[in-house]
């Protein structure tokens, strides 16, 4: 018997029988002692039983003690056996460092990719939001009569809050980056304006100080503000007398409270102000504020949605025509925050699972081949008395050790991948910091257990199912060559099918990304530097000061020698797209008194189109004629002309500003120019109607905006001089610089992130498939070396032998390609929403994926086939 074999356990009696015999023995001993003392047999038996007391109780206690003792012995023996198996497995694996390293690295790639992607999915989609009972928090929007989902107007929110029975709280809020003036200096940060029930809806209280009182949520109340814990530390050094601090935006606010650490909704917000201070509009078509609510206990999203639909219909009948809502939509807050990231992340999680299956398939074939090479060892152990279960346990323990090492290495790879993810991920994933938390460690452990079963159980069952006599007679061969070849062939087919699925998906995303890159955004990005700025209304309090502020900054920028041209726009392309309705002279308005036109609007300075390279197709650009007091003018894009003026020349016609724009001055604007279309909403979204208004004529809409400059040289060399020039004329403004090219690239970050990660998985899968095919062909060729020698001795040419070996492998590859292509046709349908101008059945992507895999398979099978064809027949036959 081998020294590592376990001695068979002695046959144990059942517990009840063992206890019964033990008690009978003790009773008999006591009777004998009493008989020797002179008692009669009957008296001795009765006295012995009386001495032991309640025999049933003693019996039960003894059974309990015996069971505990046996469990303890079995546990100790199991731990000792496992330790013995692990020591033996480590010895065996350490003797083959190349195999062990390759196996651990293969598993680490699959497990690490899964752990990293699961960490992102868990952080973004699965972990509850950091609020009290977050599953009750919902987001509410309404379906506009103009055909899109939009914010709930303030007046509608008040009615829904008062009349609905599905909610414990409902509130409105807005947020945006604002320049805040503090004693340490100006700072640009996110400021939210929130309604009275906002903090109650979140179930959040002030950590220090207090929240605004109900009477402070009204027009004319003392301006107060609460700040985040981070802002309190960062800006006020955690001073306990924060109530003495004042901050200024549109007016001066007294800081009355600090919120708990970690609360920052909307994300990144540092300051919260009562929204009622600003005087809320009563218009029911002004979609300016988002709505948050908390469901009552027992209410569901579906029931709340139905109730709001009914209430919306009732409000529509009461407030027409100033009402454009057709219904409402209620969704959990977490669903709303993860809408854009859900599909890409689940796609990547599925892809990482396919990569892990590819790695397991690769390794299973290697372990199976290794097991076949150990048939003689296994046969000897079986022959000298080792049970099949003992052999299986030892082989599975080796797989368990490999999986454990793969998990440890995989965690290292996952940690490195998370660092890459934080660099590549779009802002919507909020991956500024990532860590491997307990959930990820648990997931990795479960993955390791699953991997052990996938790579170890079947090879162990197969290896241990051998006849010792047959193995001994055949020198280690079991006579199951065809059966083993079928198994290896199935593993090759599975590996190729998984790899082609990943390759097809990645190539579709690459082609889609290429299509996005070919889209003409409608503007130039080279040599353009942008500076986002917010002019604090506490300093720039009226139209005159706003106009003068922008003029000073424009002149300061234009006088720099590094600047070729400079201009200003309220909202840059690819950021967001404010829209507003407009009337058309001579065309009736819609049923709500608005329209019939609607489009995105922007205020721009003279020279903006020239700086951005946007062509003026007809008419003229804004110039010094378009100033305050001059006739109001507007420039429209080609999409607006095509939609609303397809039957006439728009130049010289007038449109009337309605919703979305202030109602100051002359609201009838004359169209003086037509410009080329710009993809303001994103490169993959259709161009929409847009109109541009001179900033000089509407300065109140320009309290925030972007300075755009075309540089003469390098952009990096322009940032510091331009910042100094702006600070000299506007010390209360904090510019945030970024190149226009980086903003364009940033708009594609979500697509690039998914494409890069999936492509990396596909490349690794392709490499694993190639290595797996190489290993299987090498081993099967070695097993058939005697056959090859005989064929060569009988006259077969090396080319024929090589073709035979390679042809068998490539037939399996072809079957895998067919199955994988069919699977890819189904799997890629799940990524339809991620593709742009590319069909999920794109023949070029499928053909390239199949071609790449077939080429890799041909190379992987050619090398061992050529080696087999070069065998010396006489040497091979003599060695056999």
């Amino acid at each position: 018997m081998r020294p590592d074999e376990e001695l068979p356990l002695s046959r144990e009696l059942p517990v009840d029988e063992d206890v019964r015999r033990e008690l009978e023995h003790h009773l008999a001993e006591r009777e004998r002692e009493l008989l020797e003392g002179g008692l009669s047999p009957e008296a001795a038996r009765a006295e012995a039983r009386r001495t032991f007391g309640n025999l049933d109780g003693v019996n039960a206690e003894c059974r309990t003690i015996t069971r505990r003792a046996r469990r303890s012995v079995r546990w100790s023996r199991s731990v000792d056996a496992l330790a013995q198996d692990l020591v033996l497995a480590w010895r065996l694996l350490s003797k083959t460092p190349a195999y062990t390293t390759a196996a651990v690295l293969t598993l680490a790639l699959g497990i690490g990719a899964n752990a990293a992607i699961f960490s992102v999915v868990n952080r973004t989609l699965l972990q509850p939001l950091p609020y009290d009972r977050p599953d009750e928090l919902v987001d509410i929007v309404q379906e506009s009569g103009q055909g899109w989902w939009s914010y709930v107007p303030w007046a509608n929110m008040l009615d829904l809050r008062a009349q609905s029975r599905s909610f414990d709280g409902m509130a409105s809020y807005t947020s945006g980056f604002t320049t805040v003036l503090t004693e340490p200096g100006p700072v640009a940060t996110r400021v939210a304006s929130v309604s009275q029930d906002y903090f109650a809806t979140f179930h959040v209280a002030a950590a220090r100080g207090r929240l605004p009182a109900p009477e402070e949520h009204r027009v004319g109340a003392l301006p107060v503000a609460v700040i985040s814990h981070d802002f309190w530390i960062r800006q006020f050094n955690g001073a306990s007398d924060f109530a003495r601090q004042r901050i200024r935006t549109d007016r001066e606010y007294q800081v009355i409270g600090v919120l708990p650490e970690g609360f920052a909704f909307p994300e990144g917000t540092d300051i919260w102000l009562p929204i009622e201070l600003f005087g809320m509009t009563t218009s029911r078509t002004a979609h300016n504020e988002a709505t948050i609510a908390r469901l009552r206990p027992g209410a569901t999203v579906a029931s709340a949605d139905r109730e709001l639909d009914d209430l919306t219909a009732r409000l529509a009948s009461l407030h027409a025509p100033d009402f454009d809502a057709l219904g409402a939509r209620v969704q959990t807050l977490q669903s709303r925050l993860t809408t854009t990231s859900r599909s890409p992340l689940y796609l990547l999680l599925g892809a990482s699972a396919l990569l892990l299956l590819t790695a397991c398939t690769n390794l299973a074939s290697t372990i199976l081949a290794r097991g076949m090479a150990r048939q003689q060892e296994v046969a000897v152990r079986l022959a000298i008395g080792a049970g099949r279960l003992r052999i299986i346990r030892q082989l599975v323990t080796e797989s368990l050790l490999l999986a454990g090492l793969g998990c440890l290495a995989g965690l290292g790879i996952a940690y490195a991948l998370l660092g890459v993810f934080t660099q590549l991920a779009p802002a919507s994933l909020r991956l500024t910091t990532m860590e491997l938390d307990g959930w990820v460690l648990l997931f990795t452990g479960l993955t390791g257990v699953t991997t052990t079963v996938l790579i170890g159980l079947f090879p162990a069952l197969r290896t241990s199912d051998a006849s010792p006599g047959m193995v001994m007679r055949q020198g280690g061969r079991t006579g199951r060559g065809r059966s083993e070849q079928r198994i290896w062939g199935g593993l090759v087919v599975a590996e190729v099918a998984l790899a082609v699925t990943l390759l097809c998906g990645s190539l579709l995303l690459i082609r889609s990304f290429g299509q996005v890159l070919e889209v003409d955004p409608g503007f130039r990005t080279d040599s353009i530097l942008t500076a986002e700025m917010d002019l604090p209304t506490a300093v720039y309090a009226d139209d005159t000061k706003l106009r003068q502020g922008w003029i000073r900054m424009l002149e300061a920028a234009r006088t720099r020698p590094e600047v070729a041209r400079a201009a200003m726009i309220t909202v840059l392309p690819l950021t967001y797209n404010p829209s507003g309705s407009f009337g058309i002279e001579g065309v009736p308005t819609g049923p709500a008194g608005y329209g019939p036109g609607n489009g995105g609007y922007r205020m721009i300075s003279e020279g903006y189109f020239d700086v951005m390279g946007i062509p003026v197709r007809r008419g003229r650009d804004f110039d010094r004629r378009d100033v305050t007091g001059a006739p109001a003018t507007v420039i429209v894009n080609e999409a607006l002309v095509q939609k609303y003026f397809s039957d006439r020349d728009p130049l010289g016609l007038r449109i009337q500003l309605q919703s979305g724009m202030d109602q100051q001055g002359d609201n009838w604007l004359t169209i003086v120019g037509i410009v080329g279309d710009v993809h303001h909403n994103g490169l993959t979204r259709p161009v929409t109607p847009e109109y541009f208004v001179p900033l000089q004529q509407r300065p109140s809409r320009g309290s925030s905006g972007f300075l755009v400059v075309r540089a003469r040289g390098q952009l990096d060399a322009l940032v510091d001089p331009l910042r100094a020039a702006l600070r000299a004329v506007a010390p209360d403004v904090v510019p945030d610089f970024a190149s226009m090219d980086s903003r364009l690239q940033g708009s594609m970050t979500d697509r690039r992130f998914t494409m890069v990660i999936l492509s990396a998985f596909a490349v690794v899968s392709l490499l694993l498939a190639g290595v797996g095919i190489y290993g299987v062909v090498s081993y099967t060729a070695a097993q058939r070396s005697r056959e090859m020698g005989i064929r060569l001795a009988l006259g077969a040419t090396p080319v024929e032998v090589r073709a035979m070996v390679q042809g068998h492998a490539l037939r399996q590859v072809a079957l895998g390609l067919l199955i994988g292509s069919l699977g890819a046709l189904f799997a890629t349908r799940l990524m339809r929403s991620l593709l742009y101008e590319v069909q999920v059945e794109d023949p070029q992507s499928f053909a390239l994926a199949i071609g790449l895999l077939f080429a890799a398979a041909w190379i992987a099978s050619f090398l061992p086939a050529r080696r087999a064809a070069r065998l010396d027949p006489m040497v091979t036959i003599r060695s056999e």
Side-chain angles (χ1 to χ4, degrees), residues 420-703:
V420 176
F421 290 173
T422 56
Q423 300 296 320
L424 297 178
S428 59
L429 291 183
R430 305 183 298 278
L431 300 184
T432 53
T433 57
M434 288 296 297
E435 58 184 13
L436 300 175
D437 57 18
W439 287 107
V440 177
L441 297 179
L442 176 61
F443 174 83
T444 305
L446 293 176
T447 304
V449 173
T450 305
T451 301
T452 302
V453 175
L454 290 175
I455 67 173
L457 186 57
F458 175 73
L461 292 172
R462 193 72 181 172
T463 303
S464 63
D465 186 22
S467 169
M470 182 178 295
V471 173
M472 298 296 186
R473 288 193 300 271
Q474 298 187 6
R477 296 188 302 273
T478 64
R480 300 184 300 186
R482 293 186 180 275
S483 174
E484 302 302 342
Q485 290 179 20
R486 284 195 296 271
I487 294 171
W488 278 316
L491 291 173
V492 168
V493 169
E495 198 166 8
V496 171
L498 293 169
V500 79
T501 301
L502 279 175
L503 265 180
C504 286
S506 66
L507 289 173
L508 283 172
L509 286 181
I510 291 173
R511 284 213 65 208
S512 174
F513 193 72
Q515 293 293 107
V516 174
L517 292 178
E518 291 180 3
V519 174
D520 180 8
F523 56 87
R524 293 176 57 184
T525 61
D526 59 297
S527 301
I528 293 181
L529 182 67
T530 69
E532 183 176 7
M533 294 180 287
D534 177 79
L535 278 61
T537 52
V539 178
Y540 302 89
D542 53 40
D543 289 356
T544 300
K545 291 182 178 180
L546 279 172
R547 187 183 301 110
Q548 291 173 349
W550 282 116
I551 290 174
R552 285 198 304 270
M553 286 188 285
L554 275 173
E555 290 177 349
R558 288 168 176 167
T559 55
R560 292 297 310 175
E562 304 91 346
V563 174
R565 291 181 293 279
M568 182 269 167
I569 185 172
T570 50
V571 181
L572 270 179
L574 306 176
T575 50
Y576 69 99
N577 194 29
S579 62
S581 301
F582 58 87
I584 300 175
E585 190 172 22
V587 179
T589 59
Y594 290 93
N598 188 278
Y601 63 85
R602 283 160 172 77
M603 273 56 65
I604 63 173
S605 70
E606 172 191 349
Y608 169 75
F609 297 125
D610 183 35
V611 173
M612 295 292 289
I614 301 172
V616 178
R617 302 296 189 190
R618 295 177 56 202
R620 67 175 179 86
D621 195 352
F622 294 136
D623 54 31
R624 297 185 182 277
R625 289 171 286 181
D626 305 295
V627 296
T628 303
T633 55
V634 65
I635 293 176
V636 299
N637 70 344
E638 292 177 304
L640 188 145
V641 173
Q642 183 177 3
K643 184 172 183 178
Y644 297 111
F645 298 97
S646 59
D647 58 343
R648 50 186 168 157
D649 185 359
L651 291 178
L653 300 180
R654 297 196 303 169
I655 64 174
Q656 182 186 34
L657 301 184
Q658 295 172 340
S659 64
M661 295 281 286
D662 56 313
Q663 301 296 310
Q664 67 182 49
D666 183 5
N667 292 316
W668 283 100
L669 284 68
T670 302
I671 300 174
V672 297
I674 302 171
V675 295
D677 291 331
V678 171
H679 284 270
H680 281 118
N681 295 313
L683 295 180
T684 60
R685 295 183 180 180
V687 173
T688 56
E690 306 281 345
Y691 55 96
F692 302 86
V693 178
L695 179 62
Q696 290 250 34
Q697 296 182 350
R698 290 282 188 299
S700 63
R701 303 297 296 183
S703 60

Side-chain angles (χ1 to χ4, degrees), residues 205-211 242-243 256-258:
R208 293 171 176 80
R210 64 178 179 86
L211 298 176
F242 60 84
I256 62 171
V258 178

Side-chain angles (χ1 to χ4, degrees), residues 20-67:
R20 184 186 65 77
R21 289 188 180 187
E22 184 70 18
L23 285 176
E24 287 180 352
H25 172 74
H26 286 291
L27 283 170
E29 285 294 316
R30 182 59 178 160
E31 286 182 29
R32 185 179 59 78
E33 292 175 357
L34 293 173
L35 285 172
E36 291 176 353
L39 293 180
S40 64
E42 293 79 7
R45 184 175 301 108
E47 178 62 20
R49 290 181 176 276
R50 187 190 65 77
T51 303
F52 274 88
N54 184 357
L55 286 178
D56 291 339
V58 173
N59 194 314
E61 183 65 23
C62 288
R63 285 199 301 272
T64 300
I65 294 172
T66 303
R67 288 193 180 98

Side-chain angles (χ1 to χ4, degrees), residues 6 49 144 152 224 227 272 274 335 477 587 638 751 770 800:
E6 186 179 276
R49 290 181 176 276
S144 170
V152 179
V224 295
I227 58 176
W272 291 261
S335 295
R477 296 188 302 273
V587 179
E638 292 177 304
R751 291 181 176 274
E800 291 173 337

Side-chain angles (χ1 to χ4, degrees), residues 305-461:
D305 195 286
R306 289 192 297 270
E307 183 190 30
L308 292 192
D309 280 343
D310 293 340
L311 289 176
T312 301
R314 188 186 311 165
L315 292 174
S317 64
L318 294 174
H319 300 289
D322 184 31
F323 199 91
D324 62 356
L326 301 179
R329 181 177 67 186
V330 180
Q331 61 179 331
T332 64
L333 182 59
Q334 183 149 22
S335 295
R336 200 267 290 173
L337 294 176
T338 59
T339 298
T340 58
S341 57
R342 191 178 301 115
S343 294
L345 286 182
Y346 281 138
L347 171 67
L348 291 178
L349 187 62
S352 66
L354 290 180
L355 178 62
L356 179 61
L357 286 175
T358 305
C360 290
T361 305
N362 180 291
L363 197 54
S365 63
T366 305
I367 292 176
L368 185 60
R370 180 180 169 86
M372 295 302 100
R374 295 172 61 187
Q375 284 280 20
Q376 195 161 10
E377 171 202 339
V378 172
V380 171
R381 294 177 64 181
L382 290 171
I384 62 177
R388 187 186 177 202
L389 184 61
R390 179 68 180 82
I391 299 297
I392 292 173
R393 193 181 72 189
Q394 177 61 52
L395 295 175
V396 171
T397 302
E398 292 180 24
S399 301
L400 178 63
L401 182 57
L402 280 177
L405 295 173
C407 284
L408 292 176
L411 287 174
I413 291 178
Y415 184 80
L417 285 176
L418 288 179
V420 176
F421 290 173
T422 56
Q423 300 296 320
L424 297 178
S428 59
L429 291 183
R430 305 183 298 278
L431 300 184
T432 53
T433 57
M434 288 296 297
E435 58 184 13
L436 300 175
D437 57 18
W439 287 107
V440 177
L441 297 179
L442 176 61
F443 174 83
T444 305
L446 293 176
T447 304
V449 173
T450 305
T451 301
T452 302
V453 175
L454 290 175
I455 67 173
L457 186 57
F458 175 73
L461 292 172

